[in-house]
Amino acid sequence: MMATRQIKETIHAQGYEISIYTEDFKNEYISLTDIARYKSDEPFIVINNWMRGKDTIQFIGLWEQLHNENFKPIEFDRFKKEAGYNAFTLSPQKWIEATGAIGIISKSGRYGGTFAHTDIAFEFASWVSPEFKLYLIKDYKRLKNEENSRLSLNWDLSRTLSKLNYRIHTDAIKENIIPKSITKEQAAIIYAHEADVLNVALFGITAKQWREQNRTLKGNIRDQATIEQLLVLANLESLNAAFIKMGLPQHERLLKLNQTAISQLTSLLKNNTIKQIKQIK
């Protein structure tokens, strides 16, 4: 079962509200309890009846085999043999406890109920009502499109901030490192070397090394950066500009920048605010 769960969003289908939970903001679990209310005021009976079916057991068992390395195949085989008989009964709790399943979770409390990974939840919705499933998928797609749009905007804002700080960085290089008498080509080499100081400090690799290892990807190393990396990069550019003006040698700046990058990335990856930005409520 998932360690911690946070309600992420609510989608709607034919007047019903369907809750979504997530732990890592990637794998989403949709409320089977909410879906089942479309069919009955006693949703636990609907879910248990669905889980009695042989096709259901085969489907959720195969899902676990594909996604859960700790899934218990012996218990799964036993349920598969018994499924379909009149005397066979199965609840989400029994399935989870016996097989170590992760595709279905059962939760008590304020936001309690039975939840399932989207793959399984849509299968359940189809069993409840094909029409209801289509409305459910339609609103889920609407949610995903909105999230992708807003996430792209947040990424663009971070990229813009990084570009603005890059100007501060290059000005510091121009004023404090580049000799007045060299050519534009020689100056470009110095700028590239200093940019790689940041790349190595943050990504652990130079721009050239990244291109050689990622020939199929579009753009450059910074175009492929995460929001967290772009935020840290913006800070490193300002910090390196200050170090340059202080006259610190490059190797010393690299060590300080790397330490800062590690510290800030660790902090950001633990920060719920960044998670909420990605969550796009």
Side-chain angles (χ1 to χ4, degrees):
M1 295 179 63
M2 302 170 70
T4 59
R5 304 177 191 94
Q6 303 178 34
I7 190 164
K8 179 179 182 183
E9 188 57 270
T10 300
I11 54 178
H12 302 81
Q14 293 186 299
Y16 289 84
E17 290 189 351
I18 315 296
S19 299
I20 300 176
Y21 272 89
T22 182
E23 181 185 37
D24 55 11
F25 299 95
K26 294 179 182 178
N27 295 300
E28 295 176 332
Y29 286 68
I30 297 177
S31 173
L32 299 189
T33 302
D34 290 342
I35 294 174
R37 287 196 176 98
Y38 176 80
K39 194 168 187 176
S40 172
D41 291 332
E42 298 180 292
F44 69 95
I45 295 178
V46 178
I47 296 170
N48 288 3
N49 284 339
W50 173 68
M51 295 192 69
R52 292 180 68 244
K54 197 174 190 67
D55 288 343
T56 298
I57 297 301
Q58 289 178 333
F59 178 83
I60 60 178
L62 176 59
W63 189 94
E64 295 290 342
Q65 289 176 326
L66 292 173
H67 299 89
N68 180 7
E69 61 182 13
N70 297 316
F71 185 59
K72 301 175 182 177
I74 296 177
E75 286 76 4
F76 166 53
D77 287 339
R78 179 169 62 83
F79 284 135
K80 189 165 58 173
K81 290 176 182 178
E82 296 174 0
Y85 289 100
N86 292 335
F88 177 70
T89 59
L90 183 63
S91 67
Q93 295 88 343
K94 185 177 179 181
W95 168 255
I96 296 165
E97 292 170 2
T99 65
I102 61 172
I104 296 177
I105 60 176
S106 182
K107 183 179 182 297
S108 58
R110 182 181 178 186
Y111 297 113
T114 300
F115 293 78
H117 188 278
T118 52
D119 297 340
I120 298 172
F122 288 135
E123 186 73 11
F124 174 66
S126 183
W127 180 84
V128 169
S129 166
E131 179 185 4
F132 185 76
K133 175 188 176 181
L134 290 175
Y135 282 102
L136 185 68
I137 291 176
K138 180 180 179 181
D139 202 52
Y140 183 76
K141 286 182 177 179
R142 184 270 312 164
L143 172 66
K144 295 293 99 181
N145 288 336
E146 289 182 0
E147 287 185 353
N148 290 335
S149 176
R150 293 174 186 175
L151 183 59
S152 177
L153 176 60
N154 284 324
W155 190 92
D156 287 341
L157 288 173
S158 297
R159 190 73 170 100
T160 300
L161 176 61
S162 178
K163 287 180 178 179
L164 291 173
N165 277 16
Y166 182 71
R167 179 59 183 270
I168 297 173
H169 185 238
T170 55
D171 283 349
I173 297 169
K174 180 179 180 180
E175 295 168 5
N176 298 274
I177 295 180
I178 298 179
K180 301 298 182 181
S181 60
I182 67 173
T183 66
K184 289 183 178 180
E185 290 75 15
Q186 291 171 324
I189 293 174
I190 295 175
Y191 282 126
H193 285 170
E194 284 299 323
D196 270 338
V197 169
L198 300 178
N199 291 334
V200 173
L202 178 57
F203 304 108
I205 193 172
T206 67
K208 181 180 179 181
Q209 290 170 333
W210 185 89
R211 284 194 299 273
E212 291 173 348
Q213 295 178 16
N214 299 275
R215 297 182 185 278
T216 60
L217 295 180
K218 295 181 179 180
N220 57 42
I221 188 172
R222 301 184 184 198
D223 292 324
Q224 298 295 330
T226 64
I227 290 177
E228 294 91 348
Q229 289 171 327
L230 289 174
L231 289 171
V232 173
L233 177 60
N235 292 337
L236 294 186
E237 286 170 335
S238 294
L239 191 58
N240 195 40
F243 288 161
I244 290 172
K245 292 179 180 180
M246 291 167 60
L248 295 181
Q250 188 180 88
H251 71 276
E252 187 175 338
R253 288 188 279 112
L254 177 57
L255 290 175
K256 290 180 178 293
L257 292 169
N258 179 246
Q259 291 170 355
T260 300
I262 293 172
S263 176
Q264 292 190 2
L265 276 176
T266 301
S267 178
L268 286 175
L269 291 171
K270 291 180 179 179
N271 194 319
N272 286 331
T273 301
I274 296 298
K275 291 181 180 179
Q276 289 168 3
I277 291 175
K278 290 184 174 181
Q279 180 182 351
I280 314 298
K281 287 187 176 180

